Amino acid sequence: MVVDQLQAQFSDEELDRLFQAFADTTRRDIVRRVTMGAYSVSGLAALYAMSFAAVQKHVAVLERASLVSKEKRGREQIVRANHDGLQRARRLLDEYEVIWRQRADRIADLLAETATAEPGRTQTGTRQTRNTQSNKTEGKTEG
Amino acid sequence: MVVDQLQAQFSDEELDRLFQAFADTTRRDIVRRVTMGAYSVSGLAALYAMSFAAVQKHVAVLERASLVSKEKRGREQIVRANHDGLQRARRLLDEYEVIWRQRADRIADLLAETATAEPGRTQTGTRQTRNTQSNKTEGKTEG
DNA sequence: CTATTCTACAACCAAATGGTTGTAGATCAG
DNA sequence: CTGATCTACAACCATTTGGTTGTAGAATAG
């Protein structure tokens, strides 16, 4: 089953945090910057038109999402990129893409097969009479 | 400048919406399902332990993020995957990864170069005396 | 025609988000 | 020691988010 294949290595909460972390322009910019080189928190704060505390919160969000890590260096806190989170997000999107491609191929095959046999459209209703798979396919309209 | 290279093809608002859309387990599941086959809204709603209206809202979020598209078919609204959004998100993460790799290579080179010349650590303070680039590099601690 | 189904949308609510200011503890410079 | 800097954290506020229920319209089934 594809469901198991997908998201096998990520918990839902983890992914929520990960994508939520990316869903803010300031945080994406912080990720970009620390990907290119380490910054102190105050160093980052100086770059944005918002309070130190606000930037501190953004860094905290990135840290909880495992996209960034902090390391105490004297009185400063040095922020560095954590490549793992980036890779995890990318890998998930890759897997969606794999599924999509599999489906595209499958559709191409079906079209080639049934081109002469059944010219009409497949059923689009919610209730399907024949549920061939044990899987929950309620509401599915098109293979 | 790398800043221009990155995000050249995405607006901030677009990316906010895109990643925000992914930042919810139910929505990721909807994306997965419609990636594998089209569903009506009510068909999707039947799959989750929440109201029809709630699922309707999730679909709306995905639609605003260009991850999904709806097409009226009789009294039903058929939800299909919009592969573009997926690709865009992936491409952005790819670009972060490119930058990261470039940086990793650069660090490897620097380490090889300065291994004998300068054993000490590079400065970690917020204020750098020499700002060689016109670029805002305040607070940057490490190349 | 009537009843059902599917959708859209408004109104509402609790919790999370993104921001602020203020206070206080550590560390460093002079 | 004194003052400046960096950080952490609490309290507060407005807006957004994720959910609910209810109402109403359009399309289909009988």
Side-chain angles (χ1 to χ4, degrees):
Chain A
M1 198 168 160
V2 200
V3 188
D4 301 329
Q5 168 192 328
L6 192 64
Q7 296 183 357
Q9 42 214 332
F10 316 98
S11 81
D12 285 341
E13 295 79 15
E14 205 179 353
L15 288 172
D16 286 0
R17 271 181 266 126
L18 190 53
F19 286 110
Q20 180 62 36
F22 272 116
D24 181 277
T25 304
T26 303
R27 285 197 294 264
R28 283 194 303 275
D29 195 67
I30 292 178
V31 168
R32 182 181 60 77
R33 291 199 120 100
V34 303
T35 294
M36 298 193 287
Y39 283 74
S40 68
V41 178
S42 60
L44 285 172
L47 298 168
Y48 306 102
M50 65 183 74
S51 67
F52 173 84
V55 174
Q56 208 176 16
K57 280 190 183 181
H58 281 308
V59 171
V61 170
L62 291 170
E63 200 179 12
R64 265 186 301 130
S66 305
L67 279 170
V68 135
S69 65
K70 286 190 302 185
E71 187 196 346
K72 201 167 183 178
R73 180 86 78 191
R75 71 181 153 185
E76 292 183 321
Q77 198 83 259
I78 305 300
V79 183
R80 289 199 172 77
N82 183 347
H83 200 212
D84 273 12
L86 213 55
Q87 277 190 321
R88 291 162 93 79
R90 236 176 52 94
R91 219 175 301 153
L92 177 72
L93 298 187
D94 278 347
E95 290 175 10
Y96 280 114
E97 193 127 332
V98 166
I99 291 178
W100 177 278
R101 258 197 292 272
Q102 285 173 350
R103 189 198 168 221
D105 292 349
R106 198 152 32 87
I107 287 178
D109 289 353
L110 284 176
L111 284 179
E113 259 183 51
T114 63
T116 52
E118 203 174 349
R121 211 162 61 262
T122 53
Q123 52 188 344
T124 56
T126 303
R127 305 282 162 76
Q128 275 177 314
T129 328
R130 275 167 285 167
N131 273 334
T132 50
Q133 303 174 343
S134 61
N135 187 356
K136 267 201 175 184
T137 47
E138 284 231 301
K140 195 170 169 186
T141 56
E142 194 181 301
Chain B
M1 196 169 161
V2 200
V3 187
D4 301 329
Q5 167 191 329
L6 191 63
Q7 296 184 357
Q9 41 215 331
F10 316 98
S11 81
D12 286 341
E13 295 78 16
E14 205 179 353
L15 288 172
D16 286 0
R17 271 181 267 125
L18 191 54
F19 286 110
Q20 180 62 37
F22 272 116
D24 181 278
T25 305
T26 303
R27 285 198 295 266
R28 282 194 304 274
D29 195 68
I30 292 177
V31 168
R32 183 182 57 79
R33 291 197 119 101
V34 302
T35 295
M36 298 193 287
Y39 282 75
S40 68
V41 178
S42 58
L44 284 172
L47 299 168
Y48 305 102
M50 65 183 73
S51 68
F52 173 84
V55 174
Q56 209 176 13
K57 281 190 183 182
H58 281 308
V59 171
V61 170
L62 291 170
E63 201 180 10
R64 266 185 298 131
S66 304
L67 279 170
V68 136
S69 65
K70 285 191 303 183
E71 186 196 345
K72 200 168 182 175
R73 179 86 79 191
R75 73 180 152 183
E76 292 184 321
Q77 198 84 257
I78 305 301
V79 184
R80 288 197 173 78
N82 183 347
H83 200 212
D84 273 12
L86 214 55
Q87 277 188 321
R88 293 162 92 78
R90 235 178 53 94
R91 220 174 301 152
L92 177 71
L93 298 187
D94 280 346
E95 290 175 12
Y96 281 114
E97 191 125 335
V98 166
I99 291 178
W100 176 277
R101 258 196 292 271
Q102 284 173 350
R103 191 201 165 219
D105 292 349
R106 199 154 30 89
I107 287 179
D109 288 354
L110 284 177
L111 284 179
E113 258 183 53
T114 63
T116 51
E118 202 176 350
R121 209 164 62 261
T122 53
Q123 52 187 347
T124 55
T126 305
R127 305 280 162 76
Q128 275 178 316
T129 326
R130 274 168 285 167
N131 273 333
T132 50
Q133 304 174 344
S134 61
N135 187 357
K136 267 201 175 183
T137 48
E138 284 231 297
K140 195 170 170 187
T141 56
E142 193 182 306

